[in-house]
Amino acid sequence: MAAHLKKRVYEEFSKVVQIPHEEIPAKKLRLSKPSKSAALHIDLCKTTSSTDALQYLLQFARKPVEAESVEGVVRILLEHYYKETDNSVRLKIASLLGLLSKTQGFSPDCIVDDAINALSNEKSHQVLAQLLDTLLIFGTQLPDSPAVRQTLVDVAWKHLSDTYFGVRNKCLQLLGCLGMVDTSLHKDEGLGTSTGVGGVRDVQSIISDYFADQDPRVRTAAIKAMLQLHERGMKIHQIIYDQACRLLSDDYEQVRSAAVQMVWVLSQLYPESIVPIPSSNEEIRLVDDAFGKISHMVSDGSWMVRVQAAKTLGSMLQVSHHFLEQTLDKKLMSDLRRKRTAHERAKELFASGEFSSGRKWADDTPKEKLDTNTVNLIASGACGAFVHGLEDEMFEVRIAAVEALCQLARSSPSFAEKCLDFLVDMFNDEIEEVRLQSIHVLREISTHITLREDQLDTVLAVLEDSSRDIREALHELLCYTNVSTKECIQLALLELLKNLNKYPTDRISVWKCLKFLGSRHPTLVLPLVPELLSTHPYFDTPEPDMDDPAYIAVLVLVFNAAKSCPTMPALFSDHTFRHYAYLRDSLSHLVPPLRLPGRKQVYGLDSEDSGCGSVSVESSQLFLQQSLNRVSTIQNLEAPEAQDLLDFTIRDLQRLGELQTELAGAADFCATYLRCQLLLMKALQEKLWNMAVPLCLKQNVTATAATQQILEETYKLEFLYSGLESRQVATIHHVRLQAKALQLILTARTRQGSVLDHLISSCEKFLQEVESFQRLFLTELPHLQDSFVDKLLELMPRLSSCKPVEMVKILQTTLRQSRLLQLRLPEQIHRATATIIEPTGESDNPLRFTSGLVVALDIDATLENVQDPQNSVKVQVLYPDGQSHVIHPKPGDFRKPGPDRHRLITQVYLSHTAWTEPSQIEVRLLLAYSSSSASFSSTCLATKLGWSDSNDTIPPPETSIEGTIPFSKPVKVYIMPKPARR
């Protein structure tokens, strides 16, 4: 029995009970950030003095604050504000309230009442001014709260009676930024009531009351507040005009400068209104009266006011013609003087009697004598306003006067002819900037004028200037200028040839100038042809040297004139026809095609004209779109046929870009994109992925090279072309993402897990790039359906949790199954191009210098469609031994002769060890770029922290890729470093 019990005990205690496994839920951690408001309260309470509190607030202003913490921080600051007795600390707190209210995602309507309450209890004028500035920020942040804005305007009106000018300035600024013309203001002790002892007034009448304030800073603020109302689209009352005119004679220049702007605004609002002339019964248009008063300000004692007045005159295009001409004559013209009719003079003579009675002194004086001070239609000080401006001692005033003349002359051909002499005289100004601006102005009004011989002589004298910018600007002026006689053509040619002899580097500019000069004046060039070509009716003359730049300049002038003058080729000699054929091939952009009778079969000169005509831009655009549509069908073709289709399409697009320059950028862009797709298709061909890795090493190398080429091409697509839209940029990034996926797959195949850590980091980096793509191009994802990135985003949960080897297999399958993404062209695409003019690379004479020292190489290049060339364009020098130097030109080396065009004129310093014989170096231009996947996120972060004074704490993106793209043809230059003499 005992043994039986013992057995049962052992059985009971040895029974195994299997409890079903239950998954223990994972503990979730919540990361809590320390409260900004609590930390601020603790730190402010720790401060022992106002100096410590001020120092802490200055440090706090440099730190970012999240939108959800702003209200708590503001409450702590307001609480400390009420306790603080030091004015400087309260001032800083008031400033911080305004900065915090600019935080994105925070609405300041919850603290407006607190700020107004603090304002009503404040005694310090400086703190009052800062609080009003903070209220102005609140109002601008709440454009959809008219009740709050009206309350702020009422507060501003209440404090306009403050004795401190800063408070009145801020009140006027608040009225100008928030006040409404059709809203009445109520001034009393309770801001919410509708009536009060202060009465009801309009915003404009309140602001205009302070035009006569005792402080000039307040008067200036009042005018600027009125101008602010105008900028917000509110119409200013005409009754302000008289007050603004009186302010033109104020003692302070800031007031006069603002008053000039105020008078101009009213002249544009009410140009046809009639205003009386003081001390007479005459009336004139308001715009004419304002023009006369502003013209008078060109003789102001302050040069800043003179500049403001001169600039303002240029925009008054509605002024009467006789008022306009008066600005060029210092004497008052007769048509601006009030003259009485014969009936009025006879009536006065009859009323006074035929003879003097002697009872009244000097009653027999001549009645025709007029007092010019009382009956002038324009102030005598305004006569010759532009003459005064062009002769001013300050070059800023002279430049402003020249620009104003340009604006007025463009709208009035007769005024352009009258101001021609004055502009030509400015070519002799002592300041280079004034001379250059005068040349540009004369170029803009050249369609309205024809130069006389004496004027042309003055213009051509500028060709002696040592400044290259001045000479090239004058060449461009001569391109579009009309001259009157053949002597003018001869004079211009002689001076240009002298310029060419003195400055050989101006060769291209002089030839271009003579091209336009000949095409604009064919009839004037015709009688000069025998003399220019040194031909004789009976005797043979020696054949000139075709290497002479001066002879080429003469031929360019003659050939361009011959295009519009069919009788001119009869004057050419036989060698002139041969020279034409040579120049037509070598300088086709300067020499036009000519119809030369009997010469076509010999020289083939009319080959261009014999064609069926150039293809229209519309048909070329249609062909380009059809080519892209045809490529979209390659999904239905086998791999060889699809590759052939891409090859043919790329060839067609390249040829289209050569034939149609207007579509060259778009055609090159599409061809480059399709080349990327062709490389990707070849790298993903079937036989590469069905073989073992050791059997396809050569194919792996080829695929790796293709991947690297695709990445380079995508950077060209993104940074070498301008005018891209967001969809095109997303398409480029999509191709780049495909190339990086292929790069990751090839890395995993070739290394076979030998470097596992590297593979893991590469996979993590690729996932980050996919997430970055999704964040940057979220709005474009609907247009990327069934694409590679669309499938990746669907598989992102699986990719994030799988092993690297499995991830590579998924990427390989997804990449091979993804379809070609259709490219949609934007309206305009332009390719950045660069052409090196100097050095030409044609000289066989080496540039000799002593080894160890430097020699300067002049670089002259034209840049087309380059964005921000000062930071992106670099010069590369490649030596024969493989050394490469990259030089960053100075910002002052870039000029901008026209829209989307830049000119680079710089010097590159060369140095090397001694060589035994001359050799060639290569000079080319590079376009630098910086690509960062975190650029958009950095921008968003900067926007979020916009309230802070600086964003120095933002770290730079870690995945930025910097590189350079060659975008000019290399030029080879012979150099010879000689050994140093001992």
Side-chain angles (χ1 to χ4, degrees):
M1 187 66 180
H4 181 66
L5 289 174
K6 185 176 182 181
K7 184 178 179 181
R8 288 190 60 187
V9 169
Y10 281 134
E11 286 178 357
E12 289 179 2
F13 280 95
S14 62
K15 184 185 289 186
V16 178
V17 180
Q18 187 172 2
I19 302 175
H21 178 69
E22 295 182 3
E23 293 186 1
I24 303 175
K27 295 182 179 179
K28 295 183 179 180
L29 298 178
R30 184 173 61 87
L31 299 178
S32 60
K33 298 181 181 179
S35 173
K36 291 275 185 181
S37 56
L40 175 65
H41 178 68
I42 294 172
D43 292 334
L44 284 177
C45 291
K46 287 181 181 179
T47 57
T48 57
S49 64
S50 58
T51 305
D52 295 341
L54 186 60
Q55 286 292 339
Y56 176 75
L57 291 174
L58 290 172
Q59 296 175 5
F60 181 79
R62 301 188 185 99
K63 300 175 183 177
V65 178
E66 297 79 11
E68 58 270 13
S69 304
V70 171
E71 186 172 357
V73 171
V74 167
R75 296 297 175 192
I76 297 298
L77 288 174
L78 285 171
E79 182 182 346
H80 192 76
Y81 176 88
Y82 294 128
K83 299 177 183 178
E84 185 61 47
T85 58
D86 189 84
N87 292 339
S88 58
V89 178
R90 296 204 309 277
L91 183 69
K92 184 59 184 175
I93 291 176
S95 174
L96 280 175
L97 293 178
L99 289 173
L100 287 167
S101 65
K102 296 179 182 178
T103 306
Q104 190 175 10
F106 173 72
S107 179
D109 53 354
C110 58
I111 57 174
V112 171
D113 293 336
D114 296 306
I116 293 176
N117 186 32
L119 186 72
S120 60
N121 298 325
E122 184 57 56
K123 303 300 180 184
S124 171
H125 296 294
Q126 288 83 0
V127 181
L128 270 175
Q130 184 58 56
L131 284 172
L132 286 167
D133 188 60
T134 300
L135 289 178
L136 175 60
I137 296 174
F138 291 170
T140 54
Q141 295 292 322
L142 299 170
D144 300 328
S145 301
V148 174
R149 294 166 71 96
Q150 182 61 34
T151 302
L152 297 179
V153 169
D154 290 340
V155 170
W157 186 25
K158 176 184 176 183
H159 288 85
L160 266 176
S161 57
D162 197 277
T163 57
Y164 181 57
F165 79 93
V167 176
R168 300 203 298 277
N169 281 358
K170 293 298 180 182
C171 290
L172 290 169
Q173 185 180 356
L174 200 149
L175 288 175
C177 294
L178 304 181
M180 301 294 291
V181 174
D182 54 353
T183 304
S184 301
L185 302 185
H186 311 279
K187 182 177 181 181
D188 63 348
E189 295 301 321
L191 294 176
T193 58
S194 59
T195 59
V197 295
V200 179
R201 297 197 58 190
D202 178 67
V203 172
Q204 288 195 33
S205 61
I206 294 172
I207 295 177
S208 61
D209 287 346
Y210 288 85
F211 285 178
D213 194 90
Q214 60 181 357
D215 195 299
R217 292 164 290 191
V218 178
R219 296 199 294 273
T220 306
I223 301 175
K224 290 182 177 179
M226 195 71 75
L227 292 172
Q228 185 67 33
L229 290 177
H230 169 70
E231 291 175 4
R232 291 170 52 210
M234 303 175 192
K235 193 170 184 178
I236 301 176
H237 302 325
Q238 187 180 346
I239 57 174
I240 307 293
Y241 179 72
D242 292 335
Q243 295 175 290
C245 291
R246 285 195 294 270
L247 289 173
L248 291 174
S249 57
D250 197 273
D251 294 337
Y252 293 86
E253 63 178 80
Q254 293 89 352
V255 180
R256 298 197 300 273
S257 179
V260 167
Q261 189 68 18
M262 188 77 244
V263 170
W264 176 82
V265 166
L266 290 166
S267 71
Q268 303 303 305
L269 291 176
Y270 308 98
E272 301 299 329
S273 298
I274 303 300
V275 294
I277 298 177
S279 305
S280 73
N281 296 326
E282 293 300 315
E283 294 180 339
I284 59 174
R285 297 164 63 224
L286 189 145
V287 66
D288 293 336
D289 186 60
F291 185 83
K293 287 180 166 56
I294 297 177
S295 298
H296 183 70
M297 301 305 293
V298 178
S299 304
D300 193 84
S302 169
W303 70 269
M304 296 176 64
V305 178
R306 298 199 298 271
V307 169
Q308 174 76 18
K311 289 181 178 179
T312 306
L313 287 178
S315 57
M316 302 184 72
L317 305 179
Q318 298 171 304
V319 68
S320 301
H321 187 68
H322 50 278
F323 276 86
L324 201 57
E325 294 180 352
Q326 180 61 69
T327 58
L328 299 176
D329 194 346
K330 291 184 179 180
K331 295 181 180 180
L332 186 65
M333 296 180 181
S334 59
D335 55 356
L336 289 180
R337 190 180 290 133
R338 169 69 172 93
K339 297 180 289 293
R340 288 172 294 178
T341 62
H343 290 287
E344 291 175 337
R345 293 198 298 270
K347 182 179 179 181
E348 287 190 11
L349 186 63
F350 177 77
S352 61
E354 187 176 356
F355 300 101
S356 173
S357 62
R359 295 180 179 178
K360 189 175 181 182
W361 176 257
D363 59 351
D364 57 349
T365 55
K367 301 297 181 183
E368 290 79 15
K369 185 176 180 180
L370 303 175
D371 186 1
T372 58
N373 292 325
T374 59
V375 296
N376 293 344
L377 301 185
I378 186 173
S380 58
C383 298
F386 283 124
V387 180
H388 290 298
L390 295 175
E391 296 174 351
D392 198 275
E393 61 178 348
M394 305 296 293
F395 80 92
E396 293 91 349
V397 182
R398 299 200 296 274
I399 290 178
V402 167
E403 292 174 349
L405 273 177
C406 172
Q407 296 178 29
L408 294 171
R410 279 186 300 186
S411 61
S412 175
S414 60
F415 183 71
E417 294 178 2
K418 289 181 172 61
C419 69
L420 179 58
D421 286 325
F422 298 95
L423 288 174
V424 170
D425 287 341
M426 296 306 293
F427 285 17
N428 299 320
D429 196 273
E430 60 182 358
I431 303 296
E432 178 182 340
E433 190 177 349
V434 179
R435 298 198 301 271
L436 189 61
Q437 188 63 31
S438 303
I439 295 172
H440 289 324
V441 164
L442 203 58
R443 154 73 181 88
E444 292 186 31
I445 65 172
S446 58
T447 55
H448 301 314
I449 59 175
T450 300
L451 289 179
R452 302 188 309 269
E453 189 172 352
D454 59 320
Q455 293 170 336
L456 183 64
D457 195 15
T458 305
V459 169
L460 293 174
V462 184
L463 289 174
E464 301 279 339
D465 201 296
S466 61
S467 171
R468 185 170 186 164
D469 293 337
I470 294 286
R471 298 196 306 273
E472 291 187 351
L474 191 65
H475 295 158
E476 188 176 0
L477 168 64
L478 292 175
C479 290
Y480 301 97
T481 301
N482 299 316
V483 296
S484 53
T485 62
K486 66 182 181 68
E487 286 77 14
C488 293
I489 294 289
Q490 197 167 16
L491 177 63
L493 178 61
L494 290 176
E495 292 298 329
L496 286 170
L497 293 180
K498 288 180 184 178
N499 173 206
L500 190 60
N501 185 40
K502 187 175 181 180
Y503 301 103
T505 55
D506 292 353
R507 182 178 69 252
I508 301 297
S509 182
V510 170
W511 289 350
K512 178 186 173 184
C513 173
L514 288 170
K515 169 191 174 182
F516 285 94
L517 202 62
S519 61
R520 293 179 72 90
H521 307 89
T523 57
L524 299 181
V525 176
L526 179 62
L528 298 174
V529 169
E531 181 182 354
L532 295 178
L533 298 180
S534 300
T535 58
H536 196 274
Y538 306 115
F539 303 107
D540 285 337
T541 54
E543 182 176 348
D545 183 12
M546 276 303 296
D547 292 331
D548 184 10
Y551 177 62
I552 295 177
V554 173
L555 289 182
V556 168
L557 173 72
V558 172
F559 290 151
N560 281 278
K563 185 178 182 181
S564 305
C565 187
T567 60
M568 193 178 295
L571 303 174
F572 294 170
S573 57
D574 289 339
H575 63 260
T576 306
F577 290 108
R578 294 197 303 272
H579 294 169
Y580 170 78
Y582 171 74
L583 291 179
R584 183 76 188 110
D585 290 335
S586 59
L587 297 175
S588 58
H589 62 289
L590 295 175
V591 179
L594 298 179
R595 295 185 179 275
L596 302 179
R599 301 278 173 175
K600 176 181 176 182
Q601 293 78 10
V602 180
Y603 300 109
L605 301 178
D606 279 3
S607 59
E608 290 192 8
D609 291 352
S610 61
C612 58
S614 60
V615 183
S616 65
V617 179
E618 290 78 10
S619 59
S620 301
Q621 183 79 30
L622 180 61
F623 175 78
L624 178 61
Q625 192 60 48
Q626 288 174 348
S627 300
L628 294 179
N629 295 337
R630 185 170 61 248
V631 168
S632 63
T633 62
I634 66 173
Q635 303 295 335
N636 305 324
L637 302 176
E638 296 294 331
E641 290 81 1
Q643 292 180 17
D644 291 341
L645 178 60
L646 284 176
D647 273 326
F648 294 146
T649 307
I650 291 171
R651 184 196 61 188
D652 292 344
L653 292 177
Q654 288 174 342
R655 183 59 180 156
L656 177 63
E658 295 172 1
L659 294 175
Q660 193 64 264
T661 55
E662 291 83 356
L663 296 176
D668 291 343
F669 180 82
C670 296
T672 307
Y673 173 75
L674 295 181
R675 192 180 301 113
C676 293
Q677 296 292 344
L678 179 61
L679 290 170
L680 192 63
M681 187 178 296
K682 289 181 178 180
L684 293 172
Q685 57 189 348
E686 191 76 24
K687 61 180 181 180
L688 175 64
W689 304 98
N690 292 338
M691 297 172 61
V693 176
L695 300 179
C696 59
L697 292 178
K698 184 178 179 181
Q699 288 84 349
N700 276 332
V701 172
T702 305
T704 304
T707 304
Q708 188 62 35
Q709 187 177 353
I710 293 172
L711 290 175
E712 293 175 359
E713 295 290 344
T714 57
Y715 288 120
K716 288 183 182 179
L717 287 172
E718 184 175 1
F719 298 103
L720 205 57
Y721 295 87
S722 58
L724 300 180
E725 299 174 357
S726 177
R727 185 176 299 185
Q728 285 79 45
V729 178
T731 306
I732 295 169
H733 279 254
H734 180 268
V735 177
R736 189 179 302 161
L737 202 62
Q738 288 178 300
K740 290 183 177 180
L742 180 59
Q743 196 175 44
L744 178 60
I745 296 169
L746 292 171
T747 303
R749 281 172 60 88
T750 54
R751 299 194 178 187
Q752 287 296 310
S754 58
V755 187
L756 185 60
D757 293 340
H758 177 76
L759 184 60
I760 293 174
S761 63
S762 299
C763 291
E764 292 177 352
K765 184 178 179 182
F766 181 78
L767 291 177
Q768 290 175 2
E769 290 175 352
V770 174
E771 293 175 354
S772 176
F773 183 94
Q774 181 184 13
R775 184 173 64 252
L776 299 182
F777 303 106
L778 188 61
T779 57
E780 301 298 332
L781 290 180
H783 305 292
L784 304 177
Q785 292 181 358
D786 297 332
S787 63
F788 173 67
V789 71
D790 187 47
K791 295 178 180 178
L792 279 186
L793 293 176
E794 293 177 0
L795 297 170
M796 273 301 286
R798 183 179 172 189
L799 292 174
S800 303
S801 58
C802 68
K803 295 180 180 180
V805 178
E806 185 182 355
M807 176 179 171
V808 169
K809 292 180 180 179
I810 296 174
L811 286 179
Q812 179 178 336
T813 306
T814 309
L815 191 59
R816 295 185 61 188
Q817 293 177 354
S818 60
R819 65 177 182 85
L820 183 141
L821 198 59
Q822 179 73 15
L823 180 66
R824 188 179 71 88
L825 282 178
E827 294 296 329
Q828 289 290 334
I829 290 183
H830 301 287
R831 179 189 170 113
T833 57
T835 305
I836 299 178
I837 302 173
E838 292 289 342
T840 58
E842 300 172 353
S843 176
D844 294 332
N845 297 324
L847 193 62
R848 302 180 183 273
F849 61 98
T850 303
S851 63
L853 301 180
V854 296
V855 64
L857 178 65
D858 292 327
I859 302 291
D860 184 3
T862 57
L863 312 175
E864 301 279 349
N865 304 306
V866 179
Q867 308 294 328
D868 191 17
Q870 288 86 354
N871 296 322
S872 59
V873 175
K874 300 179 186 295
V875 182
Q876 183 189 42
V877 180
L878 188 62
Y879 291 93
D881 59 355
Q883 293 187 33
S884 176
H885 293 170
V886 178
I887 299 96
H888 194 167
K890 298 177 292 186
D893 294 338
F894 293 92
R895 281 87 168 167
K896 190 173 182 180
D900 297 326
R901 292 183 60 235
H902 291 84
R903 183 86 176 271
L904 172 62
I905 301 176
T906 186
Q907 283 188 330
V908 173
Y909 294 101
L910 310 176
S911 181
H912 211 279
T913 56
W915 296 354
T916 56
E917 60 183 17
S919 188
Q920 290 179 333
I921 62 170
E922 285 190 359
V923 180
R924 70 181 67 185
L925 295 183
L926 305 177
L927 188 69
Y929 66 86
S930 176
S931 174
S932 170
S933 60
S935 58
F936 279 77
S937 58
S938 298
T939 306
C940 298
L941 183 60
T943 307
K944 183 183 292 186
L945 307 179
W947 71 275
S948 182
D949 294 334
S950 66
N951 294 326
D952 298 337
T953 57
I954 300 176
E958 298 178 359
T959 58
S960 62
I961 299 175
E962 296 183 354
T964 55
I965 303 171
F967 73 119
S968 74
K969 293 182 179 179
V971 176
K972 295 183 178 181
V973 181
Y974 264 109
I975 66 170
M976 176 57 189
K978 301 180 298 183
R981 293 181 179 179
R982 302 200 176 185

